Amino acid sequence: MQNLDDVSGQDDGGDMPPISGLRDFFRRFAAESRKLWWLAVPAISTSICQYSLGAVTQVLAGHVSTLALAAVSVENSVIAGFSLGVLLGMGSALETLCGQAYGAGQVEMMGIYLQRSWIILFTSALLLSLYYVFATPLLRLIGQTPAISSAAGKLSLWMIPQLFAYALNFPTAKFLQAQSKVMVMAVISAVALPLHGVLSWWMMLKLRWGMAGGAAVLNVSWWLVQVAQIVYIATGACGRAWSGFSRKAFKNLRGFARLSIASAVMICLEVWYFMALILFAGYLKNAQVSVAALSICMNILGWMVMVAFGINAAVSVRVSNELGAGHPKRAKFSLIVATITSTAIGTAISMTLIALRDWYPELFSNDEEVRTVVKQLTPLLALCIIINNIQPVLSGVAVGAGWQGVIAYVNIGCYYIFGVPLGLVLGYKLKFGVKGIWCGMLTGTVVQICVLSGIIYKTSWNKEASLAEARIRKWGGEKDREENEAEMQEKVP
C-alpha cells in the first residue's frame, strides 16, 4: 500500500509545527489536500456507486408507475432507511476503534474487531427483519395511504436479503477505510453499478417485472459487493490486520455492543431525520405526488451528498489516525482543509443544478405534475446540498474523535426538539406544504452545524489525543493483544 506521507511529499514524523504565514498555510493546505483526496476520491466513488444501486432502482420505478415510485421511495427511506441508520451507526464504532488503533500501530486485533462487529450487526439484522415483515401494518399505523403501504410492504419483504448484506458490508467498509484501502472498494462498486443498471432496466422495464425485478437485482448487487470485499480481505491483502476467523471474536461482545449502540444512536438520529421528511410528506394532500416529487429531490440530494460522505470518510480516517498517532494539530488542520473543500464543492454542484432545473426532472418521472413540483423545489434543494456538504464533514470529525455520545444529544436537540416541530408548523399550520416541512427541518440542520462548529472550536486537541490513547487501551483489546503476542511467541521454536 502506498503511504500517505509519500502522497503528501512531506515527513509525518511528528506533530505539525506552527504555521509561519499565508504562503506556508497554502503549502500545507495543498499537502493535506493531497492526503485527503487520495482517500476521498475512491471513497466518493464507492459512496456514489453503492448509493446509486438503490437510486437506479428508484429512477426506473418512476417509469413503471407513480405508485411504484412512491412505494420504492417509502421502502428506501422509511423501512430500509431505518435499518440502514441502525446498522451503519453500529458499524461506525469500528471506524473510531480501527482508525485510532491503526494510527497507533496496533493493527493485530483489527480483524477480531471486524468479526465482533459482524456478529453484533448480523444479530441486529435478525431483529430488524421483523420490521420488514410487518412493514404494511406499520406504515398504515403511521398514516401512509393504503395503496402506498401495501406496495411498500410487499417490496420490504422482497428486500430482506439486502438487510443482511448491510450487516456485513458496513463493518467491512470501516475496516478497510481505517487502513486506507479504499481503492479496492471503489473498483468493486464501480464494476457492480453498470451491471446493476443494465439488469434492472431489463427486468423492470423490458420484461415488465416491475418492483419484483428491481428487488431481485438490488439484492444480488449488494451481496456481490460484499462477497467481493470479503474475498479481498481473506486473500491476505490486509496483512497483520486480518489473520483469519477466531473464537476471540466472541469475547467482550457486551462491551463492544455498548460502543456500537452509542454510535448507532448518533447516526440514526441523522438518517431518520431525513427519512421523516418523506414520511411527513405522505400526510399532505395529493400524497403520491408530494412523496414522489420529494423523493426525487432526496434522490438527487443523496447523490450529491455522497461526495461529502466520501470526504467524511477521508477526514474521519485522517483525524482518527492522527489522534491515534498522537498528532492533535494535524488532526485539527485536516478538519479545516476538509470543511473548506466540501463547502466549495457543494456550492459548485448547487449552481449546476439550478442551471439544469428545467431539464433534469424528466429523467425521474413521466408525470407532469410531479415534474412541476420538483422544479419548484429546486432552489431549496440547491441550498440543502450546500448545507449538507458541510454537515457530514463535521460528523466525520466526531466519529474519528469518538464523540458519538455527545453528538447524539446535539442531534436530539437540533433535529427533533427544534427542526421537526418547526417543519410541521410551517408545513401544516401555516400551509406551506412540502416546502414548509423541508425549510423547517433544514433549519434544524443549520443549527446543528453551528453547535458542532462551536464544539470543535472549543476542543482541546491535545486532550483528544490523550483520550484516543486511553480509548485504545479500553476498547482496543489490550489484554487480547497481549494474548496474541504470547501465542506468537509460543509458536517460535
Side-chain angles (χ1 to χ4, degrees):
M1 183 189 72
Q2 186 181 9
N3 192 285
L4 282 179
D5 300 339
D6 299 332
V7 176
S8 68
Q10 68 182 49
D11 181 17
D12 270 14
D15 205 0
M16 190 175 75
I19 296 175
S20 59
L22 191 61
R23 187 174 183 177
D24 187 35
F25 172 82
F26 283 116
R27 181 182 63 81
R28 298 187 188 192
F29 188 97
E32 179 62 31
S33 292
R34 285 192 290 271
K35 289 185 177 184
L36 279 171
W37 282 112
W38 187 75
L39 294 168
V41 169
I44 289 170
S45 176
T46 302
S47 297
I48 290 177
C49 289
Q50 292 188 359
Y51 174 81
S52 295
L53 295 177
V56 165
T57 302
Q58 188 167 317
V59 168
L60 293 174
H63 295 280
V64 174
S65 68
T66 300
L67 177 61
L69 175 59
V72 172
S73 302
V74 169
E75 193 280 332
N76 278 344
S77 60
V78 180
I79 306 300
F82 178 92
S83 302
L84 183 146
V86 172
L87 298 177
L88 177 61
M90 297 184 78
S92 74
L94 211 64
E95 192 168 357
T96 301
L97 292 179
C98 284
Q100 294 186 357
Y102 187 79
Q106 300 181 12
V107 300
E108 295 85 358
M109 287 297 296
M110 290 177 65
I112 303 298
Y113 306 152
L114 172 61
Q115 294 169 56
R116 286 175 183 168
S117 191
W118 277 343
I119 294 169
I120 292 169
L121 267 69
F122 203 85
T123 302
S124 301
L126 285 173
L127 298 175
L128 288 169
S129 63
L130 296 174
Y131 184 51
Y132 282 62
V133 172
F134 297 103
T136 297
L138 287 172
L139 291 172
R140 290 292 305 274
L141 183 65
I142 60 179
Q144 292 295 305
T145 65
I148 293 177
S149 298
S150 177
K154 184 183 294 185
L155 179 62
S156 297
L157 289 174
W158 295 336
M159 293 310 304
I160 289 178
Q162 182 193 49
L163 172 66
F164 291 94
Y166 282 165
L168 296 179
N169 181 71
F170 297 143
T172 305
K174 303 307 180 185
F175 172 80
L176 291 171
Q177 284 175 7
Q179 304 168 70
S180 302
K181 294 184 179 296
V182 286
M183 186 59 70
V184 64
M185 297 167 58
V187 172
I188 291 171
S189 300
V191 171
L193 178 59
L195 292 175
H196 173 79
V198 171
L199 289 175
S200 294
W201 169 83
W202 183 58
M203 295 187 72
M204 294 179 70
L205 302 182
K206 191 70 174 179
L207 297 183
R208 300 184 183 277
W209 287 11
M211 292 189 299
V217 177
L218 191 55
N219 284 323
V220 170
S221 297
W222 268 101
W223 272 101
L224 284 176
V225 168
Q226 179 54 30
V227 169
Q229 290 179 346
I230 292 178
V231 169
Y232 172 80
I233 293 172
T235 58
C238 296
R240 292 184 300 147
W242 177 263
S243 57
F245 293 98
S246 172
R247 287 178 296 180
K248 291 179 182 177
F250 293 91
K251 293 183 179 180
N252 198 28
L253 281 176
R254 185 175 181 180
F256 208 90
R258 284 200 300 268
L259 184 63
S260 298
I261 291 171
S263 300
V265 171
M266 171 191 163
I267 301 297
C268 285
L269 291 173
E270 294 182 0
V271 173
W272 296 345
Y273 188 58
F274 289 97
M275 177 189 76
L277 183 55
I278 296 287
L279 186 64
F280 294 146
Y283 301 141
L284 296 170
K285 295 180 180 179
N286 201 359
Q288 286 191 21
V289 172
S290 297
V291 171
L294 189 57
S295 70
I296 290 172
C297 292
M298 291 296 102
N299 200 345
I300 294 170
L301 178 64
W303 265 320
M304 301 302 115
V305 171
M306 288 304 105
V307 176
F309 281 175
I311 300 177
N312 167 296
V315 75
S316 179
V317 171
R318 293 289 299 128
V319 168
S320 60
N321 284 177
E322 295 293 2
L323 289 178
H327 300 157
K329 293 179 182 178
R330 292 188 184 279
K332 182 178 181 180
F333 191 70
S334 182
L335 160 64
I336 294 171
V337 173
T339 303
I340 294 174
T341 302
S342 188
T343 303
I345 292 173
T347 302
I349 292 174
S350 297
M351 293 175 64
T352 302
L353 191 65
I354 290 177
L356 299 176
R357 65 185 179 277
D358 293 327
W359 173 76
Y360 77 85
E362 297 178 4
L363 296 175
F364 296 87
S365 178
N366 296 325
D367 191 318
E368 181 61 32
E369 189 175 2
V370 172
R371 293 202 297 258
T372 299
V373 176
V374 172
K375 291 178 185 178
Q376 294 172 353
L377 292 174
T378 296
L380 191 56
L381 173 60
L383 177 62
C384 193
I385 287 173
I386 296 175
I387 293 172
N388 282 279
N389 260 50
I390 301 172
Q391 190 272 340
V393 174
L394 301 181
S395 292
V397 174
V399 171
W403 300 342
Q404 289 94 327
V406 174
I407 304 305
Y409 288 108
V410 172
N411 289 348
I412 290 174
C414 296
Y415 287 163
Y416 297 94
I417 296 178
F418 180 78
V420 168
L422 179 60
L424 295 178
V425 169
L426 292 174
Y428 295 100
K429 186 69 174 180
L430 300 182
K431 301 187 184 301
F432 286 115
V434 67
K435 286 185 180 180
I437 296 173
W438 199 354
C439 282
M441 297 180 71
L442 188 59
T443 304
T445 305
V446 173
V447 174
Q448 188 231 26
I449 289 174
C450 293
V451 174
L452 287 181
S453 298
I455 292 174
I456 291 172
Y457 177 77
K458 294 181 178 180
T459 294
S460 170
W461 292 93
N462 289 323
K463 180 180 179 181
E464 291 301 321
S466 299
L467 290 174
E469 183 180 353
R471 188 178 293 111
I472 291 170
R473 289 196 301 268
K474 179 180 179 181
W475 297 107
E478 187 74 22
K479 181 178 179 181
D480 291 334
R481 193 166 61 87
E482 291 174 356
E483 290 177 0
N484 269 359
E485 292 173 354
E487 286 181 3
M488 292 177 65
Q489 291 176 359
E490 290 176 2
K491 293 178 181 179
V492 177

